[in-house]
PDB file of all heavy atoms in Angstrom:
ATOM      1  N   GLY A 131     -16.346  -7.100   0.552  1.00 96.00           N
ATOM      2  CA  GLY A 131     -16.493  -6.872  -0.864  1.00 96.00           C
ATOM      3  C   GLY A 131     -15.174  -7.063  -1.573  1.00 96.00           C
ATOM      4  O   GLY A 131     -14.112  -6.999  -1.074  1.00 96.00           O
ATOM      5  N   TYR A 132     -15.351  -7.178  -2.951  1.00 96.00           N
ATOM      6  CA  TYR A 132     -14.190  -7.354  -3.839  1.00 96.00           C
ATOM      7  C   TYR A 132     -13.757  -5.971  -4.218  1.00 96.00           C
ATOM      8  O   TYR A 132     -14.509  -5.069  -4.570  1.00 96.00           O
ATOM      9  CB  TYR A 132     -14.587  -8.137  -5.068  1.00 96.00           C
ATOM     10  CG  TYR A 132     -15.013  -9.579  -4.720  1.00 96.00           C
ATOM     11  CD1 TYR A 132     -15.948 -10.208  -5.575  1.00 96.00           C
ATOM     12  CD2 TYR A 132     -14.459 -10.262  -3.715  1.00 96.00           C
ATOM     13  CE1 TYR A 132     -16.295 -11.512  -5.319  1.00 96.00           C
ATOM     14  CE2 TYR A 132     -14.815 -11.605  -3.436  1.00 96.00           C
ATOM     15  CZ  TYR A 132     -15.752 -12.168  -4.249  1.00 96.00           C
ATOM     16  OH  TYR A 132     -16.150 -13.488  -3.975  1.00 96.00           O
ATOM     17  N   VAL A 133     -12.373  -5.759  -4.286  1.00 96.00           N
ATOM     18  CA  VAL A 133     -11.700  -4.550  -4.704  1.00 96.00           C
ATOM     19  C   VAL A 133     -11.057  -4.792  -6.039  1.00 96.00           C
ATOM     20  O   VAL A 133      -9.948  -5.412  -6.077  1.00 96.00           O
ATOM     21  CB  VAL A 133     -10.725  -4.122  -3.604  1.00 96.00           C
ATOM     22  CG1 VAL A 133     -10.068  -2.757  -4.088  1.00 96.00           C
ATOM     23  CG2 VAL A 133     -11.388  -3.993  -2.192  1.00 96.00           C
ATOM     24  N   PRO A 134     -11.661  -4.478  -7.117  1.00 96.00           N
ATOM     25  CA  PRO A 134     -11.061  -4.721  -8.452  1.00 96.00           C
ATOM     26  C   PRO A 134      -9.791  -3.834  -8.594  1.00 96.00           C
ATOM     27  O   PRO A 134      -9.821  -2.713  -8.316  1.00 96.00           O
ATOM     28  CB  PRO A 134     -12.095  -4.348  -9.530  1.00 96.00           C
ATOM     29  CG  PRO A 134     -13.169  -3.654  -8.766  1.00 96.00           C
ATOM     30  CD  PRO A 134     -12.960  -3.883  -7.334  1.00 96.00           C
ATOM     31  N   ARG A 135      -8.690  -4.566  -9.103  1.00 97.00           N
ATOM     32  CA  ARG A 135      -7.412  -3.914  -9.293  1.00 97.00           C
ATOM     33  C   ARG A 135      -6.906  -4.427 -10.650  1.00 97.00           C
ATOM     34  O   ARG A 135      -7.304  -5.448 -11.120  1.00 97.00           O
ATOM     35  CB  ARG A 135      -6.407  -4.262  -8.255  1.00 97.00           C
ATOM     36  CG  ARG A 135      -6.821  -3.979  -6.788  1.00 97.00           C
ATOM     37  CD  ARG A 135      -6.553  -2.559  -6.462  1.00 97.00           C
ATOM     38  NE  ARG A 135      -6.722  -2.245  -5.088  1.00 97.00           N
ATOM     39  CZ  ARG A 135      -6.777  -1.042  -4.525  1.00 97.00           C
ATOM     40  NH1 ARG A 135      -6.543   0.020  -5.353  1.00 97.00           N
ATOM     41  NH2 ARG A 135      -6.889  -0.838  -3.188  1.00 97.00           N
ATOM     42  N   TYR A 136      -6.014  -3.641 -11.261  1.00 97.00           N
ATOM     43  CA  TYR A 136      -5.330  -4.110 -12.528  1.00 97.00           C
ATOM     44  C   TYR A 136      -4.514  -5.289 -12.170  1.00 97.00           C
ATOM     45  O   TYR A 136      -3.796  -5.365 -11.178  1.00 97.00           O
ATOM     46  CB  TYR A 136      -4.462  -3.051 -13.078  1.00 97.00           C
ATOM     47  CG  TYR A 136      -5.174  -1.824 -13.428  1.00 97.00           C
ATOM     48  CD1 TYR A 136      -4.951  -0.563 -12.873  1.00 97.00           C
ATOM     49  CD2 TYR A 136      -6.146  -1.852 -14.504  1.00 97.00           C
ATOM     50  CE1 TYR A 136      -5.719   0.566 -13.261  1.00 97.00           C
ATOM     51  CE2 TYR A 136      -6.902  -0.756 -14.866  1.00 97.00           C
ATOM     52  CZ  TYR A 136      -6.667   0.486 -14.209  1.00 97.00           C
ATOM     53  OH  TYR A 136      -7.365   1.554 -14.636  1.00 97.00           O
ATOM     54  N   ALA A 137      -4.609  -6.326 -12.989  1.00 96.00           N
ATOM     55  CA  ALA A 137      -3.798  -7.653 -12.787  1.00 96.00           C
ATOM     56  C   ALA A 137      -2.349  -7.373 -12.958  1.00 96.00           C
ATOM     57  O   ALA A 137      -1.543  -8.095 -12.291  1.00 96.00           O
ATOM     58  CB  ALA A 137      -4.309  -8.667 -13.701  1.00 96.00           C
ATOM     59  N   LYS A 138      -1.944  -6.488 -13.850  1.00 97.00           N
ATOM     60  CA  LYS A 138      -0.525  -6.166 -14.054  1.00 97.00           C
ATOM     61  C   LYS A 138      -0.316  -4.694 -14.119  1.00 97.00           C
ATOM     62  O   LYS A 138      -1.153  -3.942 -14.804  1.00 97.00           O
ATOM     63  CB  LYS A 138      -0.016  -6.768 -15.400  1.00 97.00           C
ATOM     64  CG  LYS A 138      -0.098  -8.272 -15.465  1.00 97.00           C
ATOM     65  CD  LYS A 138       0.301  -8.774 -16.894  1.00 97.00           C
ATOM     66  CE  LYS A 138      -0.039 -10.166 -17.070  1.00 97.00           C
ATOM     67  NZ  LYS A 138       0.080 -10.562 -18.474  1.00 97.00           N
ATOM     68  N   ILE A 139       0.792  -4.185 -13.574  1.00 98.00           N
ATOM     69  CA  ILE A 139       1.093  -2.739 -13.587  1.00 98.00           C
ATOM     70  C   ILE A 139       2.641  -2.584 -13.747  1.00 98.00           C
ATOM     71  O   ILE A 139       3.354  -3.494 -13.411  1.00 98.00           O
ATOM     72  CB  ILE A 139       0.612  -1.930 -12.310  1.00 98.00           C
ATOM     73  CG1 ILE A 139       1.250  -2.459 -11.088  1.00 98.00           C
ATOM     74  CG2 ILE A 139      -0.924  -1.994 -12.282  1.00 98.00           C
ATOM     75  CD1 ILE A 139       1.023  -1.691  -9.827  1.00 98.00           C
ATOM     76  N   THR A 140       3.018  -1.453 -14.295  1.00 98.00           N
ATOM     77  CA  THR A 140       4.374  -1.052 -14.210  1.00 98.00           C
ATOM     78  C   THR A 140       4.474   0.245 -13.440  1.00 98.00           C
ATOM     79  O   THR A 140       3.701   1.169 -13.676  1.00 98.00           O
ATOM     80  CB  THR A 140       4.900  -0.768 -15.607  1.00 98.00           C
ATOM     81  OG1 THR A 140       4.835  -2.055 -16.332  1.00 98.00           O
ATOM     82  CG2 THR A 140       6.348  -0.389 -15.606  1.00 98.00           C
ATOM     83  N   VAL A 141       5.373   0.211 -12.376  1.00 98.00           N
ATOM     84  CA  VAL A 141       5.485   1.366 -11.534  1.00 98.00           C
ATOM     85  C   VAL A 141       6.873   1.974 -11.645  1.00 98.00           C
ATOM     86  O   VAL A 141       7.818   1.231 -11.764  1.00 98.00           O
ATOM     87  CB  VAL A 141       5.244   0.862  -9.991  1.00 98.00           C
ATOM     88  CG1 VAL A 141       5.610   2.059  -9.063  1.00 98.00           C
ATOM     89  CG2 VAL A 141       3.868   0.462  -9.768  1.00 98.00           C
ATOM     90  N   LYS A 142       6.938   3.254 -11.759  1.00 98.00           N
ATOM     91  CA  LYS A 142       8.188   3.975 -11.738  1.00 98.00           C
ATOM     92  C   LYS A 142       8.258   4.768 -10.486  1.00 98.00           C
ATOM     93  O   LYS A 142       7.254   5.409 -10.063  1.00 98.00           O
ATOM     94  CB  LYS A 142       8.309   4.878 -12.969  1.00 98.00           C
ATOM     95  CG  LYS A 142       8.708   4.129 -14.236  1.00 98.00           C
ATOM     96  CD  LYS A 142       9.036   5.145 -15.314  1.00 98.00           C
ATOM     97  CE  LYS A 142       9.461   4.382 -16.606  1.00 98.00           C
ATOM     98  NZ  LYS A 142       9.742   5.321 -17.706  1.00 98.00           N
ATOM     99  N   ALA A 143       9.381   4.859  -9.866  1.00 98.00           N
ATOM    100  CA  ALA A 143       9.564   5.662  -8.602  1.00 98.00           C
ATOM    101  C   ALA A 143      11.049   5.911  -8.411  1.00 98.00           C
ATOM    102  O   ALA A 143      11.836   5.494  -9.155  1.00 98.00           O
ATOM    103  CB  ALA A 143       8.998   4.812  -7.472  1.00 98.00           C
ATOM    104  N   THR A 144      11.325   6.610  -7.376  1.00 98.00           N
ATOM    105  CA  THR A 144      12.700   6.761  -6.838  1.00 98.00           C
ATOM    106  C   THR A 144      12.805   5.972  -5.548  1.00 98.00           C
ATOM    107  O   THR A 144      11.941   6.142  -4.721  1.00 98.00           O
ATOM    108  CB  THR A 144      12.994   8.242  -6.635  1.00 98.00           C
ATOM    109  OG1 THR A 144      12.820   8.950  -7.888  1.00 98.00           O
ATOM    110  CG2 THR A 144      14.371   8.470  -6.193  1.00 98.00           C
ATOM    111  N   ASN A 145      13.798   5.227  -5.370  1.00 97.00           N
ATOM    112  CA  ASN A 145      13.911   4.455  -4.167  1.00 97.00           C
ATOM    113  C   ASN A 145      14.516   5.302  -3.045  1.00 97.00           C
ATOM    114  O   ASN A 145      15.005   6.416  -3.278  1.00 97.00           O
ATOM    115  CB  ASN A 145      14.619   3.056  -4.335  1.00 97.00           C
ATOM    116  CG  ASN A 145      16.083   3.094  -4.516  1.00 97.00           C
ATOM    117  OD1 ASN A 145      16.677   4.217  -4.378  1.00 97.00           O
ATOM    118  ND2 ASN A 145      16.673   2.048  -4.945  1.00 97.00           N
ATOM    119  N   ILE A 146      14.676   4.718  -1.837  1.00 95.00           N
ATOM    120  CA  ILE A 146      15.249   5.413  -0.688  1.00 95.00           C
ATOM    121  C   ILE A 146      16.661   5.880  -0.871  1.00 95.00           C
ATOM    122  O   ILE A 146      17.068   6.863  -0.252  1.00 95.00           O
ATOM    123  CB  ILE A 146      15.018   4.480   0.614  1.00 95.00           C
ATOM    124  CG1 ILE A 146      14.957   5.317   1.812  1.00 95.00           C
ATOM    125  CG2 ILE A 146      16.148   3.444   0.640  1.00 95.00           C
ATOM    126  CD1 ILE A 146      14.344   4.618   3.051  1.00 95.00           C
ATOM    127  N   ASN A 147      17.437   5.239  -1.827  1.00 94.00           N
ATOM    128  CA  ASN A 147      18.725   5.598  -2.060  1.00 94.00           C
ATOM    129  C   ASN A 147      18.894   6.704  -3.093  1.00 94.00           C
ATOM    130  O   ASN A 147      19.917   7.165  -3.503  1.00 94.00           O
ATOM    131  CB  ASN A 147      19.660   4.433  -2.458  1.00 94.00           C
ATOM    132  CG  ASN A 147      19.663   3.364  -1.400  1.00 94.00           C
ATOM    133  OD1 ASN A 147      19.817   3.770  -0.208  1.00 94.00           O
ATOM    134  ND2 ASN A 147      19.573   2.135  -1.728  1.00 94.00           N
ATOM    135  N   GLY A 148      17.736   7.150  -3.678  1.00 95.00           N
ATOM    136  CA  GLY A 148      17.708   8.154  -4.703  1.00 95.00           C
ATOM    137  C   GLY A 148      17.798   7.594  -6.120  1.00 95.00           C
ATOM    138  O   GLY A 148      18.020   8.327  -7.026  1.00 95.00           O
ATOM    139  N   ASP A 149      17.765   6.240  -6.267  1.00 97.00           N
ATOM    140  CA  ASP A 149      17.934   5.649  -7.580  1.00 97.00           C
ATOM    141  C   ASP A 149      16.532   5.403  -8.246  1.00 97.00           C
ATOM    142  O   ASP A 149      15.628   5.109  -7.548  1.00 97.00           O
ATOM    143  CB  ASP A 149      18.553   4.246  -7.447  1.00 97.00           C
ATOM    144  CG  ASP A 149      19.974   4.315  -6.794  1.00 97.00           C
ATOM    145  OD1 ASP A 149      20.675   5.281  -7.132  1.00 97.00           O
ATOM    146  OD2 ASP A 149      20.250   3.416  -5.970  1.00 97.00           O
TER     147      ASP A 149
END
Side-chain angles (χ1 to χ4, degrees):
Y132 297 148
V133 181
R135 303 277 188 190
Y136 297 115
K138 296 177 193 165
I139 61 170
T140 300
V141 174
K142 283 187 175 180
T144 302
N145 72 12
I146 205 162
N147 298 320
D149 302 320

